Amino acid sequence: MDSQDKLKKNSDHKFEKEVSSFQSDNELFIQDDSIISKHKKKARNAKPVQILENYNGSDEDLKSLVKSDFKFWGWDKKPRTMLRFIKPGDIFCVKLNDKKYIFGRIISKIFFGRVAEIFNYVSSTPEIEVEYIDSSKRMFAPIVLDSYTLFDRKFEKEADWRIIGHQNDYIPTDVDDVYFTFGEGAYCKKVDIWDNKTFISESEAKKLPELTAMRNYGVKQLLKEYIKLE
């Protein structure tokens, strides 16, 4: 079942009367040119924004429909999330310091942890609007998180990672070329975000990121290349 079929199957009932079809890139169009230009400007060079076809309502009504795919409970409600409750589509927030917060989304679960993406959006508060989630690009390629340490047991005192929301019926995009590698010599393998493993040559393995469940320190080392942490 491809992503288009999954989207149709999982569409909320309130959308069924408005949505007639999805294009192959999962982007829909609105008759109101002003809304089209607004959303296309935000979505340029980013992941597609899902918009209703033949939509004749106001901008505010559109925002409420898009937001219906998301549920947010904020920073203070769940300082800790148990491992078994962490799932694809979860939106998380990371406190870098008193003035900087970054955000990301859980993509999938594999045997080694949770595959996640970090958005190229930095805020002075632990809050993010749906429009920023839809229009943000990835700060860097997806990584594997040590979700047990970061969200459940929270062993690292200086780390503050929290699940602050969830995207219903989330379907990952731009992940066909995301692989991690493990093993040595003739036993090198690559694994995709769905936990499918394939034997590969040692030379091919050297071109892929090593499968490592990253904790707070490792993620911050990556972030230093993109933002100032002080």
mmCIF file of all heavy atoms in Angstrom, residues 173-204:
data_model
loop_
_atom_site.group_PDB
_atom_site.id
_atom_site.type_symbol
_atom_site.label_atom_id
_atom_site.label_comp_id
_atom_site.label_asym_id
_atom_site.label_seq_id
_atom_site.Cartn_x
_atom_site.Cartn_y
_atom_site.Cartn_z
ATOM 1 N N THR A 173 7.762 10.999 4.932
ATOM 2 C CA THR A 173 8.095 11.342 3.547
ATOM 3 C C THR A 173 9.598 11.556 3.441
ATOM 4 O O THR A 173 10.289 11.777 4.434
ATOM 5 C CB THR A 173 7.368 12.627 3.104
ATOM 6 O OG1 THR A 173 7.731 13.707 3.975
ATOM 7 C CG2 THR A 173 5.853 12.443 3.147
ATOM 8 N N ASP A 174 10.102 11.458 2.207
ATOM 9 C CA ASP A 174 11.528 11.671 1.941
ATOM 10 C C ASP A 174 12.407 10.758 2.795
ATOM 11 O O ASP A 174 13.394 11.198 3.398
ATOM 12 C CB ASP A 174 11.918 13.133 2.190
ATOM 13 C CG ASP A 174 11.115 14.103 1.327
ATOM 14 O OD1 ASP A 174 10.818 13.743 0.176
ATOM 15 O OD2 ASP A 174 10.779 15.191 1.804
ATOM 16 N N VAL A 175 12.058 9.488 2.829
ATOM 17 C CA VAL A 175 12.823 8.544 3.655
ATOM 18 C C VAL A 175 13.322 7.340 2.861
ATOM 19 O O VAL A 175 13.930 6.432 3.426
ATOM 20 C CB VAL A 175 11.973 8.049 4.851
ATOM 21 C CG1 VAL A 175 11.723 9.162 5.841
ATOM 22 C CG2 VAL A 175 10.658 7.439 4.380
ATOM 23 N N ASP A 176 13.087 7.324 1.543
ATOM 24 C CA ASP A 176 13.461 6.159 0.737
ATOM 25 C C ASP A 176 14.963 5.918 0.712
ATOM 26 O O ASP A 176 15.412 4.788 0.513
ATOM 27 C CB ASP A 176 12.951 6.322 -0.696
ATOM 28 C CG ASP A 176 11.428 6.227 -0.785
ATOM 29 O OD1 ASP A 176 10.826 5.688 0.163
ATOM 30 O OD2 ASP A 176 10.862 6.696 -1.793
ATOM 31 N N ASP A 177 15.743 6.983 0.882
ATOM 32 C CA ASP A 177 17.199 6.832 0.826
ATOM 33 C C ASP A 177 17.857 6.945 2.197
ATOM 34 O O ASP A 177 19.061 7.173 2.302
ATOM 35 C CB ASP A 177 17.800 7.874 -0.110
ATOM 36 C CG ASP A 177 17.502 9.302 0.331
ATOM 37 O OD1 ASP A 177 16.640 9.476 1.212
ATOM 38 O OD2 ASP A 177 18.135 10.236 -0.203
ATOM 39 N N VAL A 178 17.063 6.767 3.258
ATOM 40 C CA VAL A 178 17.599 6.849 4.620
ATOM 41 C C VAL A 178 17.995 5.456 5.102
ATOM 42 O O VAL A 178 17.137 4.579 5.260
ATOM 43 C CB VAL A 178 16.582 7.477 5.589
ATOM 44 C CG1 VAL A 178 17.147 7.481 7.021
ATOM 45 C CG2 VAL A 178 16.235 8.893 5.152
ATOM 46 N N TYR A 179 19.287 5.254 5.306
ATOM 47 C CA TYR A 179 19.798 3.974 5.791
ATOM 48 C C TYR A 179 20.855 4.218 6.861
ATOM 49 O O TYR A 179 21.515 5.261 6.884
ATOM 50 C CB TYR A 179 20.444 3.169 4.653
ATOM 51 C CG TYR A 179 19.490 2.696 3.585
ATOM 52 C CD1 TYR A 179 19.338 3.427 2.411
ATOM 53 C CD2 TYR A 179 18.763 1.519 3.744
ATOM 54 C CE1 TYR A 179 18.471 2.999 1.415
ATOM 55 C CE2 TYR A 179 17.898 1.083 2.752
ATOM 56 C CZ TYR A 179 17.756 1.824 1.595
ATOM 57 O OH TYR A 179 16.893 1.400 0.621
ATOM 58 N N PHE A 180 21.030 3.205 7.709
ATOM 59 C CA PHE A 180 22.103 3.189 8.698
ATOM 60 C C PHE A 180 22.826 1.854 8.539
ATOM 61 O O PHE A 180 22.263 0.885 8.021
ATOM 62 C CB PHE A 180 21.544 3.322 10.109
ATOM 63 C CG PHE A 180 20.662 4.528 10.289
ATOM 64 C CD1 PHE A 180 19.279 4.429 10.123
ATOM 65 C CD2 PHE A 180 21.197 5.767 10.605
ATOM 66 C CE1 PHE A 180 18.463 5.534 10.271
ATOM 67 C CE2 PHE A 180 20.392 6.881 10.747
ATOM 68 C CZ PHE A 180 19.019 6.766 10.581
ATOM 69 N N THR A 181 24.076 1.805 8.968
ATOM 70 C CA THR A 181 24.841 0.580 8.794
ATOM 71 C C THR A 181 25.405 0.063 10.108
ATOM 72 O O THR A 181 25.656 0.839 11.039
ATOM 73 C CB THR A 181 25.991 0.798 7.789
ATOM 74 O OG1 THR A 181 26.656 -0.448 7.549
ATOM 75 C CG2 THR A 181 26.993 1.794 8.326
ATOM 76 N N PHE A 182 25.593 -1.253 10.174
ATOM 77 C CA PHE A 182 26.223 -1.892 11.335
ATOM 78 C C PHE A 182 26.883 -3.185 10.870
ATOM 79 O O PHE A 182 26.615 -3.688 9.784
ATOM 80 C CB PHE A 182 25.214 -2.156 12.452
ATOM 81 C CG PHE A 182 24.136 -3.148 12.089
ATOM 82 C CD1 PHE A 182 24.230 -4.484 12.463
ATOM 83 C CD2 PHE A 182 23.010 -2.756 11.376
ATOM 84 C CE1 PHE A 182 23.242 -5.404 12.135
ATOM 85 C CE2 PHE A 182 22.014 -3.652 11.038
ATOM 86 C CZ PHE A 182 22.124 -4.979 11.418
ATOM 87 N N GLY A 183 27.744 -3.718 11.720
ATOM 88 C CA GLY A 183 28.460 -4.940 11.363
ATOM 89 C C GLY A 183 29.818 -4.645 10.750
ATOM 90 O O GLY A 183 30.146 -3.493 10.450
ATOM 91 N N GLU A 184 30.618 -5.700 10.543
ATOM 92 C CA GLU A 184 31.960 -5.541 9.992
ATOM 93 C C GLU A 184 32.223 -6.583 8.914
ATOM 94 O O GLU A 184 31.629 -7.671 8.916
ATOM 95 C CB GLU A 184 33.019 -5.686 11.100
ATOM 96 C CG GLU A 184 32.944 -4.620 12.185
ATOM 97 C CD GLU A 184 34.009 -4.811 13.247
ATOM 98 O OE1 GLU A 184 34.713 -5.842 13.200
ATOM 99 O OE2 GLU A 184 34.153 -3.925 14.106
ATOM 100 N N GLY A 185 33.148 -6.236 8.015
ATOM 101 C CA GLY A 185 33.578 -7.168 6.978
ATOM 102 C C GLY A 185 32.436 -7.737 6.165
ATOM 103 O O GLY A 185 31.584 -7.012 5.652
ATOM 104 N N ALA A 186 32.418 -9.062 6.072
ATOM 105 C CA ALA A 186 31.382 -9.746 5.290
ATOM 106 C C ALA A 186 30.015 -9.693 5.958
ATOM 107 O O ALA A 186 29.018 -10.133 5.368
ATOM 108 C CB ALA A 186 31.790 -11.201 5.059
ATOM 109 N N TYR A 187 29.974 -9.179 7.177
ATOM 110 C CA TYR A 187 28.714 -9.144 7.928
ATOM 111 C C TYR A 187 28.124 -7.733 8.014
ATOM 112 O O TYR A 187 27.265 -7.462 8.850
ATOM 113 C CB TYR A 187 28.928 -9.703 9.329
ATOM 114 C CG TYR A 187 29.386 -11.145 9.324
ATOM 115 C CD1 TYR A 187 30.738 -11.460 9.454
ATOM 116 C CD2 TYR A 187 28.470 -12.189 9.163
ATOM 117 C CE1 TYR A 187 31.166 -12.774 9.431
ATOM 118 C CE2 TYR A 187 28.895 -13.506 9.131
ATOM 119 C CZ TYR A 187 30.244 -13.788 9.263
ATOM 120 O OH TYR A 187 30.664 -15.092 9.225
ATOM 121 N N CYS A 188 28.578 -6.849 7.149
ATOM 122 C CA CYS A 188 28.014 -5.502 7.119
ATOM 123 C C CYS A 188 26.569 -5.545 6.633
ATOM 124 O O CYS A 188 26.241 -6.264 5.684
ATOM 125 C CB CYS A 188 28.831 -4.608 6.193
ATOM 126 S SG CYS A 188 30.467 -4.184 6.801
ATOM 127 N N LYS A 189 25.741 -4.768 7.293
ATOM 128 C CA LYS A 189 24.346 -4.677 6.888
ATOM 129 C C LYS A 189 23.905 -3.212 6.868
ATOM 130 O O LYS A 189 24.513 -2.361 7.516
ATOM 131 C CB LYS A 189 23.439 -5.441 7.860
ATOM 132 C CG LYS A 189 23.560 -6.940 7.814
ATOM 133 C CD LYS A 189 22.557 -7.588 8.769
ATOM 134 C CE LYS A 189 22.648 -9.099 8.733
ATOM 135 N NZ LYS A 189 21.640 -9.723 9.654
ATOM 136 N N LYS A 190 22.848 -2.944 6.126
ATOM 137 C CA LYS A 190 22.205 -1.637 6.206
ATOM 138 C C LYS A 190 20.763 -1.866 6.642
ATOM 139 O O LYS A 190 20.165 -2.919 6.359
ATOM 140 C CB LYS A 190 22.246 -0.897 4.871
ATOM 141 C CG LYS A 190 21.436 -1.520 3.745
ATOM 142 C CD LYS A 190 21.533 -0.648 2.485
ATOM 143 C CE LYS A 190 20.700 -1.226 1.343
ATOM 144 N NZ LYS A 190 20.792 -0.403 0.105
ATOM 145 N N VAL A 191 20.213 -0.897 7.339
ATOM 146 C CA VAL A 191 18.846 -1.004 7.836
ATOM 147 C C VAL A 191 18.121 0.283 7.480
ATOM 148 O O VAL A 191 18.674 1.376 7.596
ATOM 149 C CB VAL A 191 18.819 -1.263 9.365
ATOM 150 C CG1 VAL A 191 19.564 -0.191 10.125
ATOM 151 C CG2 VAL A 191 17.381 -1.383 9.875
ATOM 152 N N ASP A 192 16.872 0.150 7.020
ATOM 153 C CA ASP A 192 16.086 1.334 6.691
ATOM 154 C C ASP A 192 15.214 1.732 7.871
ATOM 155 O O ASP A 192 15.297 1.127 8.943
ATOM 156 C CB ASP A 192 15.251 1.110 5.419
ATOM 157 C CG ASP A 192 14.219 -0.009 5.569
ATOM 158 O OD1 ASP A 192 13.910 -0.425 6.709
ATOM 159 O OD2 ASP A 192 13.705 -0.472 4.533
ATOM 160 N N ILE A 193 14.355 2.732 7.699
ATOM 161 C CA ILE A 193 13.555 3.229 8.828
ATOM 162 C C ILE A 193 12.478 2.249 9.247
ATOM 163 O O ILE A 193 11.872 2.412 10.314
ATOM 164 C CB ILE A 193 12.922 4.591 8.504
ATOM 165 C CG1 ILE A 193 11.812 4.441 7.448
ATOM 166 C CG2 ILE A 193 13.966 5.597 8.052
ATOM 167 C CD1 ILE A 193 10.848 5.590 7.414
ATOM 168 N N TRP A 194 12.229 1.231 8.416
ATOM 169 C CA TRP A 194 11.203 0.234 8.755
ATOM 170 C C TRP A 194 11.826 -0.996 9.394
ATOM 171 O O TRP A 194 11.165 -2.004 9.579
ATOM 172 C CB TRP A 194 10.428 -0.167 7.505
ATOM 173 C CG TRP A 194 9.925 1.006 6.719
ATOM 174 C CD1 TRP A 194 10.293 1.388 5.463
ATOM 175 C CD2 TRP A 194 8.953 1.977 7.146
ATOM 176 N NE1 TRP A 194 9.620 2.521 5.090
ATOM 177 C CE2 TRP A 194 8.794 2.909 6.087
ATOM 178 C CE3 TRP A 194 8.208 2.139 8.314
ATOM 179 C CZ2 TRP A 194 7.925 3.995 6.166
ATOM 180 C CZ3 TRP A 194 7.343 3.225 8.402
ATOM 181 C CH2 TRP A 194 7.206 4.129 7.338
ATOM 182 N N ASP A 195 13.138 -0.929 9.667
ATOM 183 C CA ASP A 195 13.881 -2.016 10.311
ATOM 184 C C ASP A 195 14.156 -3.184 9.361
ATOM 185 O O ASP A 195 14.387 -4.312 9.811
ATOM 186 C CB ASP A 195 13.133 -2.525 11.557
ATOM 187 C CG ASP A 195 14.086 -2.952 12.658
ATOM 188 O OD1 ASP A 195 15.262 -2.574 12.600
ATOM 189 O OD2 ASP A 195 13.651 -3.664 13.589
ATOM 190 N N ASN A 196 14.116 -2.928 8.055
ATOM 191 C CA ASN A 196 14.482 -3.950 7.073
ATOM 192 C C ASN A 196 15.997 -3.966 6.920
ATOM 193 O O ASN A 196 16.607 -2.930 6.654
ATOM 194 C CB ASN A 196 13.829 -3.658 5.723
ATOM 195 C CG ASN A 196 12.316 -3.694 5.800
ATOM 196 O OD1 ASN A 196 11.729 -4.642 6.315
ATOM 197 N ND2 ASN A 196 11.671 -2.662 5.272
ATOM 198 N N LYS A 197 16.596 -5.138 7.064
ATOM 199 C CA LYS A 197 18.057 -5.251 7.039
ATOM 200 C C LYS A 197 18.514 -5.984 5.775
ATOM 201 O O LYS A 197 17.894 -6.953 5.350
ATOM 202 C CB LYS A 197 18.545 -5.997 8.281
ATOM 203 C CG LYS A 197 18.072 -5.371 9.590
ATOM 204 C CD LYS A 197 18.434 -6.232 10.782
ATOM 205 C CE LYS A 197 17.820 -5.695 12.061
ATOM 206 N NZ LYS A 197 16.335 -5.794 12.066
ATOM 207 N N THR A 198 19.629 -5.516 5.198
ATOM 208 C CA THR A 198 20.171 -6.083 3.973
ATOM 209 C C THR A 198 21.687 -6.162 4.081
ATOM 210 O O THR A 198 22.333 -5.210 4.538
ATOM 211 C CB THR A 198 19.815 -5.204 2.753
ATOM 212 O OG1 THR A 198 18.402 -4.996 2.711
ATOM 213 C CG2 THR A 198 20.270 -5.864 1.463
ATOM 214 N N PHE A 199 22.272 -7.284 3.656
ATOM 215 C CA PHE A 199 23.726 -7.401 3.632
ATOM 216 C C PHE A 199 24.292 -6.481 2.553
ATOM 217 O O PHE A 199 23.748 -6.400 1.448
ATOM 218 C CB PHE A 199 24.154 -8.840 3.351
ATOM 219 C CG PHE A 199 24.114 -9.735 4.560
ATOM 220 C CD1 PHE A 199 23.097 -10.660 4.713
ATOM 221 C CD2 PHE A 199 25.100 -9.641 5.541
ATOM 222 C CE1 PHE A 199 23.056 -11.478 5.837
ATOM 223 C CE2 PHE A 199 25.071 -10.454 6.660
ATOM 224 C CZ PHE A 199 24.048 -11.373 6.807
ATOM 225 N N ILE A 200 25.379 -5.805 2.869
ATOM 226 C CA ILE A 200 26.048 -4.922 1.917
ATOM 227 C C ILE A 200 27.556 -5.127 2.013
ATOM 228 O O ILE A 200 28.052 -5.755 2.950
ATOM 229 C CB ILE A 200 25.714 -3.434 2.181
ATOM 230 C CG1 ILE A 200 26.110 -3.044 3.607
ATOM 231 C CG2 ILE A 200 24.253 -3.145 1.919
ATOM 232 C CD1 ILE A 200 25.929 -1.563 3.914
ATOM 233 N N SER A 201 28.267 -4.580 1.041
ATOM 234 C CA SER A 201 29.723 -4.693 1.066
ATOM 235 C C SER A 201 30.300 -3.703 2.070
ATOM 236 O O SER A 201 29.657 -2.725 2.461
ATOM 237 C CB SER A 201 30.296 -4.403 -0.322
ATOM 238 O OG SER A 201 30.067 -3.047 -0.680
ATOM 239 N N GLU A 202 31.530 -3.966 2.465
ATOM 240 C CA GLU A 202 32.194 -3.079 3.421
ATOM 241 C C GLU A 202 32.396 -1.691 2.818
ATOM 242 O O GLU A 202 32.287 -0.672 3.515
ATOM 243 C CB GLU A 202 33.527 -3.677 3.844
ATOM 244 C CG GLU A 202 34.163 -2.975 5.036
ATOM 245 C CD GLU A 202 35.357 -3.741 5.572
ATOM 246 O OE1 GLU A 202 35.864 -4.633 4.860
ATOM 247 O OE2 GLU A 202 35.789 -3.448 6.705
ATOM 248 N N SER A 203 32.665 -1.627 1.530
ATOM 249 C CA SER A 203 32.860 -0.332 0.871
ATOM 250 C C SER A 203 31.559 0.468 0.842
ATOM 251 O O SER A 203 31.572 1.695 1.006
ATOM 252 C CB SER A 203 33.374 -0.541 -0.553
ATOM 253 O OG SER A 203 32.452 -1.298 -1.326
ATOM 254 N N GLU A 204 30.438 -0.199 0.642
ATOM 255 C CA GLU A 204 29.151 0.493 0.660
ATOM 256 C C GLU A 204 28.821 0.967 2.069
ATOM 257 O O GLU A 204 28.253 2.050 2.260
ATOM 258 C CB GLU A 204 28.043 -0.430 0.152
ATOM 259 C CG GLU A 204 26.679 0.245 0.048
ATOM 260 C CD GLU A 204 25.599 -0.674 -0.469
ATOM 261 O OE1 GLU A 204 25.917 -1.838 -0.835
ATOM 262 O OE2 GLU A 204 24.422 -0.234 -0.512
#
